[in-house]
């Protein structure tokens, strides 16, 4: 993906601001020194970094610490700033390839798995951040869902997409095939806006420390019909005064209940 000239790198980054082009080129665009540093600490290496000629010493240090394969290149502020989807961040952007795909999904009775079907980037990023915070083992991204390495999703995730294994859509059939072979049940819980049971009821009869599959579907359509064949339990967060919760808010509550809120083992 790299280009020899600074002008070529600038043009390439501009092309990748288009989400379709970015995904076609299998690129990751990182904005701001905070997420850049987080990604590098998790082992990501950019192809190149572009930095504003007005950047602070701290931002410059973060750019150099990223050790991009094609170097750090300074641009006039008026050229760098339009590249940024979030203008208030410090003036540095980086482009590289996504992290290598994780090994084939291996499911255990204690696995904590989230299946992600949200399409809004800010919802996607917030959910991934919750997954990192509550110790989820793997995220499975359904075919029509937002890419977790979407620039706005990464910002909402505060870089958490670099923290845990993110599996593509073909891991969902692997999950379905492995569940019946487990020595203990691995319950599937589908978050729905209305008509589901409380987590405590869905969790009844399961041992403390058991794993789970939490399905967070499309914002309006909910989980796909294919989950019905998995004997999934529909779970709902009870609310007052409002019709339902945003899927990312619901994800945080449900993951807390499924992890921190679980009674300790006897």
């Amino acid at each position: 993906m790299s280009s020899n000239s600074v002008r070529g790198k600038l043009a390439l980054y501009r092309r990748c601001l288009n989400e379709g082009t970015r995904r076609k080129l299998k690129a990751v665009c990182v904005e701001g020194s905070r997420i850049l540093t987080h990604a590098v600490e998790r082992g990501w290496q950019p192809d190149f970094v572009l930095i504003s000629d007005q950047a602070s010493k701290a931002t410059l240090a973060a750019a150099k610490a990223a050790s991009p394969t094609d170097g750090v290149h300074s641009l006039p502020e008026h050229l760098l700033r339009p590249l940024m989807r979030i203008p208030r961040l410090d003036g540095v952007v980086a482009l590289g390839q996504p992290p290598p795909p994780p090994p084939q999904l291996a499911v255990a009775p204690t696995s904590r798995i989230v299946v992600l079907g949200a399409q809004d980037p800010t919802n996607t990023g917030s959910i991934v951040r919750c997954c990192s915070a509550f110790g989820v083992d793997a995220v499975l991204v359904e075919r029509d869902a937002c890419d977790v390495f979407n620039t706005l999703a990464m910002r909402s995730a505060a870089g958490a997409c670099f923290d845990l294994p993110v599996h593509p859509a073909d891991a969902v059939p692997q999950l379905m095939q492995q569940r019946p072979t487990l020595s203990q049940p691995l319950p599937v819980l589908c978050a729905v806006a209305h008509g589901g049971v409380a987590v405590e009821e869905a969790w009844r009869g399961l041992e403390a420390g058991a794993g789970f599959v939490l399905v967070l579907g499309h914002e309006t359509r909910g989980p796909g019909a294919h989950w019905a064949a998995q004997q999934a339990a529909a779970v709902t967060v009870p609310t007052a005064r409002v019709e339902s919760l945003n899927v990312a808010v619901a994800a945080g509550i449900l993951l807390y209940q499924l992890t921190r809120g679980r009674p300790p083992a006897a």
Side-chain angles (χ1 to χ4, degrees):
M1 285 189 300
S2 299
S3 176
N4 292 331
S5 68
V6 177
R7 181 176 295 181
K9 292 176 173 62
L10 175 61
L12 177 58
Y13 197 95
R14 280 177 176 155
R15 287 182 62 203
C16 289
L17 293 178
N18 177 279
E19 182 64 9
T21 301
R22 184 192 69 78
R23 296 187 73 159
K24 183 178 180 180
L25 295 178
K26 297 181 179 179
V28 170
C29 302
V30 171
E31 294 184 1
S33 61
R34 179 181 174 188
I35 295 180
L36 176 59
T37 298
H38 185 94
V40 170
E41 288 174 349
R42 299 304 189 273
W44 184 71
Q45 184 178 31
D47 291 341
F48 61 82
V49 174
L50 303 176
I51 188 169
S52 167
D53 60 0
Q54 298 180 20
S56 67
K57 291 183 179 179
T59 299
L60 180 59
K64 290 180 176 179
S67 302
T69 54
D70 276 354
V72 177
H73 306 275
S74 179
L75 287 176
E77 171 74 7
H78 73 275
L79 291 179
L80 189 286
R81 193 55 58 178
L83 300 178
M84 304 187 71
R85 298 284 181 89
I86 308 165
R88 58 183 164 76
L89 297 179
D90 52 340
V92 60
V93 299
L95 186 140
Q97 299 177 354
Q104 185 173 0
L105 181 69
V107 181
T110 56
S111 296
R112 298 174 174 181
I113 297 172
V114 166
V115 179
L116 182 55
Q119 289 196 324
D120 180 83
T122 54
N123 285 339
T124 296
S126 298
I127 293 169
V128 171
R129 190 172 186 175
C130 289
C131 290
S132 180
F134 294 121
V136 168
D137 297 310
V139 173
L140 280 57
V141 182
E142 297 224 71
R143 199 165 305 279
D144 295 331
C146 174
D147 179 14
V148 299
F149 293 103
N150 173 288
T151 305
L152 293 178
M154 281 196 293
R155 181 61 187 169
S156 294
C161 47
F162 294 97
D163 292 348
L164 69 174
V166 177
H167 293 264
D170 56 11
V172 172
Q174 296 171 21
L175 168 64
M176 293 177 173
Q177 292 167 5
Q178 293 182 46
R179 278 188 66 237
T181 68
L182 300 177
S183 59
Q184 299 176 24
L186 185 65
V188 176
L189 309 175
C190 289
V192 296
H194 310 285
V197 300
V199 165
E200 295 81 1
E201 183 175 342
W203 202 255
R204 189 173 297 144
L206 294 172
E207 297 180 4
F212 58 83
V213 178
L214 178 62
V215 181
L216 300 160
H218 187 278
E219 285 87 343
T220 56
R221 297 193 300 268
H226 54 281
W227 290 105
Q230 297 298 307
Q231 298 179 324
V235 293
T236 298
V237 178
T239 58
R241 300 189 181 92
V242 297
E243 180 185 5
S244 63
L245 294 174
N246 169 281
V247 64
V249 174
I253 295 171
L254 292 170
L255 285 171
Y256 175 82
Q257 290 180 299
L258 291 167
T259 56
R260 311 295 173 133
R262 184 183 308 165

